Amino acid sequence: EDEFKATDRATKAKLAEKLLDLARQDDDDVARFALLREAVRFASEGGDVTTAMRAADMMAQTYAINGTAVKVYSLSLLSKGTLPTVADAALGLAGEQIAENDYDGAKKSLQYGFAALRRISGSDRLVQLRNLSEHIDGIADQFKEVARHSETLKTNPNDPAANLEVGRFESFVKGNWEKGLQHLSRSGDGPLRQLAEQTLNGTDDAQEKFSIANGWWKQANSLDGIKKDRVLAYAGSLYREALPELTGLSKATAEKRL
């Protein structure tokens, strides 16, 4: 009971660990929820980023709640201290929010990261935060253009035009190829759809993988800006996988493009 009245960060952090351990052992749903909620709070107030995020993840996995919202609440408490690890947590959470197209939320998370580093100058994390913040601005603007297509897919998941636009955005802008390729394989762009299907089917044959990489390399040369960079990087990853077993002109081409 005295631990719950503690004001020092170290005691709060230790209590959070105990509460998280108890939550893992408790079979009562109501009790477990209360333990996890308090673990998040005490870990956040105690500056224990790892325990706070683990408790938040466990809450999201066990209960029908928004785990991201719990993490944002945790960051709001953590950012009152000066902790580089808070900035790391902010960067990670912003990444999760970007994946969900929650760009306003991602910017808010980064603000907590900036707050945690307010008395630290010349930090690499500050550079990372600024770069990601600028990147979010660019992505958010482009998402506005494809948002209506995302809405279309909620009622008509096989719509070719909507899949094309969402697939391009996920792959070429966000670099989320796993999700983007699924959409592109249902798009109305014949050559791009075929290339996406070949990529999804995969192959262990180096020459076939080289051919797929060539397809993305060609696709990249029809683009510009971040889209071109994303597709060139993806083609490069395929060339790199195929290279050890390539010979002759194919090997020379792959090496040159890497």
Side-chain angles (χ1 to χ4, degrees), residues 13 16 21 32 38 46 59 117 133 171 185 197 233 236 242 244 248:
D21 286 339
R32 186 191 299 116
E38 292 303 288
M59 288 182 78
L117 297 179
S133 182
S171 300
S185 69
E197 289 173 345

Side-chain angles (χ1 to χ4, degrees), residues 223-242:
L223 304 169
D224 55 25
I226 188 175
K227 295 179 181 179
K228 183 173 184 176
D229 292 341
R230 291 282 193 199
V231 181
L232 283 175
Y234 187 66
S237 69
L238 295 175
Y239 282 130
R240 197 168 288 107
E241 290 177 14

Side-chain angles (χ1 to χ4, degrees), residues 70 97 153 184:
V70 177
Q97 291 166 307
L153 292 178
L184 292 175

Side-chain angles (χ1 to χ4, degrees), residues 182-202:
Q182 294 292 338
H183 288 294
L184 292 175
S185 69
R186 296 192 292 270
S187 74
D189 184 321
L192 187 55
R193 182 182 66 245
Q194 183 177 15
L195 182 57
E197 289 173 345
Q198 290 174 334
T199 307
L200 285 169
N201 289 335

Side-chain angles (χ1 to χ4, degrees), residues 12-49:
K12 289 184 176 183
K14 288 181 181 179
L15 176 57
E17 291 182 3
K18 290 180 181 179
L19 292 170
L20 181 56
D21 286 339
L22 288 171
R24 292 187 178 118
Q25 301 168 28
D26 204 312
D27 294 328
D28 184 279
D29 287 340
V30 175
R32 186 191 299 116
F33 182 85
L35 288 166
L36 289 171
R37 180 191 61 204
E38 292 303 288
V40 170
R41 181 168 71 89
F42 280 105
S44 301
E45 292 176 353
D48 185 345
V49 177

Side-chain angles (χ1 to χ4, degrees), residues 9 31 60-61 116 119 127 158 215 229 241 252:
R9 291 162 66 85
Q61 293 165 6
R119 288 188 289 273
V127 175
N158 292 314
D229 292 341
E241 290 177 14

Side-chain angles (χ1 to χ4, degrees), residues 14 23-24 78 91 105 137 159 226 248:
K14 288 181 181 179
R24 292 187 178 118
L78 285 161
L91 287 165
D137 289 337
D159 183 279
I226 188 175

